[in-house]
Amino acid sequence: MSSAPQKSAWAVAQQQFDLAASRLGLDAGIAAVLREPRRQLTVHFPVRMDDGSTRVFEGHRVQHNLGRGPAKGGIRFHQDVNIEEVKALSMWMSWKCAVMDLPYGGGKGGVTVDPKKLSLGELERLTRRFTTEIAVIIGPESDIPAPDVNTNSQTMAWMMDTYSMHVGYTVPGVVTGKPIALGGSLGRNEATARGAVFCIREAAAKINLNLKGATVVVQGYGNAGSIAARLISEMGAKVIAVSDSSGGIQNPAGLDLAAVDAHKKKTGSVVAFAGSTPVSNQAILEIPCDVLIPAALENQITADNAGKIKTKIVAEAANGPTTPEADEILFKSGAMVIPDILCNAGGVTVSYFEWVQDLNRDFWEEDEVNARLEKKMVRAFHEVYEMAQKEKSHLRLGAYLLSVQRVADAMKVRGIYP
Ligand code: GLU
């Protein structure tokens, strides 16, 4: 197997799509449409910095497919954001929404910036000006952003306010992942992690793994990773290693997560947590464990390291952590990979609930949100599992066969305009 560590996320996304399209025997015209994004907008915009200087930033909003509904997907602020990455993330959103049977297409956005190097005021001005630049294509009926890496409910509040100031009235449904005070949904903040843990529970039952006492490793201790760690430890599992962008920590006896959270809040990172030994972001993936949760960025599990991974379940809380070559290696080794477009779909699912609540001006109890999320995640997990069994494939191909077919069906019945 050739190793391709530097393969771009977009190359991976197209390769995954091609595998599914050929297995489905997809119509060549439909496949050609779905291989590329429908629209991509790149913007360069100025931001007044605190020292009085002006800096120009680059950002993107990509709409991959609108066949099943408005584009949906997050906005990422990261120094490595580029158009190829945003294209990949937008394609993955199309499949994710289709796996969950949400009435959305796929979209994604990002700004190339390390937000940790900006003041709060600079971050607000950057967010508001970026929102203004992409306002020509976003809207509650056309394209609905949400949080992603390094963005949060405050970012969404600024985006919602900016969009609303432009149109002259308050439009809560233009973004999801908002603060509760602005029409956000209860349960949205935890939703990605909660959905992932529902999937892990269902997967564990399939392989007779008792989560009580099971060992868990989490790469990426952000919104999804840290909450997934907490939720799975509440089920009796033992989290033995976690990492963030500064590095990782491990303790085979199990980490005290409340203390890790307090340490991260104080120092900005999990690194140097008392009673732990350091581990790198690469080495953390190779720690033997029952459940490995990649919850950071793309391209982490490749042909180079997949053979060294010793786990029973890989639960992809991140988008795109595993390359197609690594998928085959893990499948042969018997590890069950719960693919990103299923595993982390809890976030967009509760985003959908938030949008529905906003459009109806009617808000639900947290228990109701969580119960509806559980029902959708469990149903999607089993649909994917059964498809994979039928096709004798890994779950990723199962998820792609289901979702690509759903998007293709929508396009086919809509027909080509004019
Ligand atoms: N950024 C999240 C994702 O990758 C959530 C997207 C959304 O809620 O629209 O799925």
Side-chain angles (χ1 to χ4, degrees):
M1 191 131 329
S2 70
S3 86
Q6 292 312 319
K7 189 181 281 186
S8 80
W10 178 238
V12 168
Q14 284 195 317
Q15 191 182 346
Q16 291 165 335
F17 169 73
D18 290 343
L19 285 169
S22 82
R23 189 81 159 240
L24 286 169
L26 214 61
D27 171 84
I30 288 184
V33 174
L34 289 177
R35 257 190 128 249
E36 298 294 340
R38 165 96 175 253
R39 293 188 184 123
Q40 49 192 81
L41 173 63
T42 293
V43 296
H44 295 94
F45 57 97
V47 177
R48 183 87 61 209
M49 307 306 282
D50 290 347
D51 66 3
S53 67
T54 300
R55 260 181 76 186
V56 172
F57 292 88
E58 182 173 279
H60 316 274
R61 183 73 187 172
V62 177
Q63 300 174 346
H64 170 259
N65 187 270
L66 306 172
R68 291 169 45 89
K72 187 84 192 78
I75 301 276
R76 170 175 297 201
F77 290 169
H78 193 275
Q79 58 276 18
D80 297 334
V81 161
N82 59 69
I83 186 67
E84 298 291 289
E85 180 189 47
V86 180
K87 281 161 65 177
L89 291 161
S90 74
M91 183 191 259
W92 289 328
M93 286 308 304
S94 292
W95 315 141
K96 193 185 299 185
C97 292
V99 168
M100 298 310 297
D101 213 3
L102 307 176
Y104 288 137
K108 200 81 176 199
V111 176
T112 312
V113 58
D114 181 354
K116 291 175 188 126
K117 296 205 173 120
L118 299 190
S119 71
L120 195 65
E122 289 168 340
L123 202 55
E124 175 173 353
R125 293 193 291 280
L126 175 139
T127 303
R128 288 184 181 278
R129 181 61 189 253
F130 177 60
T131 306
T132 301
E133 296 301 329
I134 64 169
V136 290
I137 61 169
I138 66 169
E141 305 295 341
S142 55
D143 182 354
I144 306 130
D148 196 72
V149 173
N150 292 336
T151 55
N152 56 27
S153 61
Q154 175 63 76
T155 322
M156 295 304 115
W158 290 328
M159 291 191 73
M160 184 275 232
D161 181 68
T162 303
Y163 184 87
S164 299
M165 295 309 280
H166 283 293
V167 295
Y169 52 90
T170 295
V171 187
V174 66
V175 291
T176 58
K178 298 178 295 296
I180 305 300
L182 296 182
S185 178
L186 293 167
R188 174 62 186 84
N189 192 45
E190 299 79 25
T192 306
R194 196 175 290 282
V197 172
F198 286 139
C199 287
I200 294 169
R201 185 190 70 192
E202 298 303 303
K206 291 285 182 199
I207 59 168
N208 291 318
L209 170 69
N210 188 352
L211 287 177
K212 242 190 194 76
T215 51
V216 179
V217 168
V218 182
Q219 185 206 42
Y221 204 67
N223 173 275
S226 66
I227 301 174
R230 172 167 62 79
L231 294 175
I232 202 161
S233 72
E234 284 169 7
M235 294 170 76
K238 192 165 75 170
V239 178
I240 57 169
V242 302
S243 68
D244 58 32
S245 57
S246 306
I249 54 171
Q250 62 175 324
N251 181 346
L255 293 160
D256 174 350
L257 295 176
V260 172
D261 290 344
H263 174 81
K264 178 153 179 146
K265 204 165 169 203
K266 210 168 93 199
T267 67
S269 167
V270 299
V271 169
F273 174 66
S276 72
T277 49
V279 58
S280 74
N281 260 307
Q282 272 310 300
I284 198 169
L285 299 170
E286 295 166 21
I287 297 175
C289 60
D290 295 312
V291 182
L292 173 64
I293 309 182
L297 296 170
E298 306 89 66
N299 242 332
Q300 299 301 303
I301 305 179
T302 67
D304 290 340
N305 62 357
K308 297 183 210 143
I309 287 174
K310 289 174 188 58
T311 191
K312 301 189 174 91
I313 295 173
V314 178
E316 296 185 336
N319 289 308
T322 310
T323 64
E325 293 76 18
D327 270 335
E328 296 309 319
I329 296 169
L330 290 169
F331 187 52
K332 284 196 190 99
S333 80
M336 189 193 284
V337 178
I338 312 171
D340 47 6
I341 59 172
L342 168 67
C343 191
N344 70 37
V348 71
T349 300
V350 177
S351 275
Y352 163 65
F353 295 159
E354 177 175 333
W355 183 72
V356 167
Q357 292 171 79
D358 288 338
L359 298 185
N360 291 314
R361 269 75 174 158
D362 179 21
F363 293 89
W364 311 344
E365 304 284 336
E366 187 163 359
D367 285 352
E368 181 175 354
V369 172
N370 290 343
R372 286 186 188 235
L373 172 64
E374 179 170 11
K375 208 167 149 192
K376 276 196 170 289
M377 293 303 308
V378 170
R379 190 182 65 189
F381 179 90
H382 290 279
E383 283 178 350
V384 167
Y385 187 85
E386 271 142 40
M387 178 64 88
Q389 290 289 107
K390 198 174 109 211
E391 297 292 323
K392 298 188 175 29
S393 73
H394 45 63
L395 297 185
R396 186 172 332 269
L397 187 63
Y400 268 71
L401 294 176
L402 261 183
S403 59
V404 171
Q405 187 68 61
R406 283 180 183 158
V407 176
D409 286 347
M411 292 180 59
K412 193 154 177 239
V413 281
R414 284 180 70 150
I416 292 177
Y417 174 88

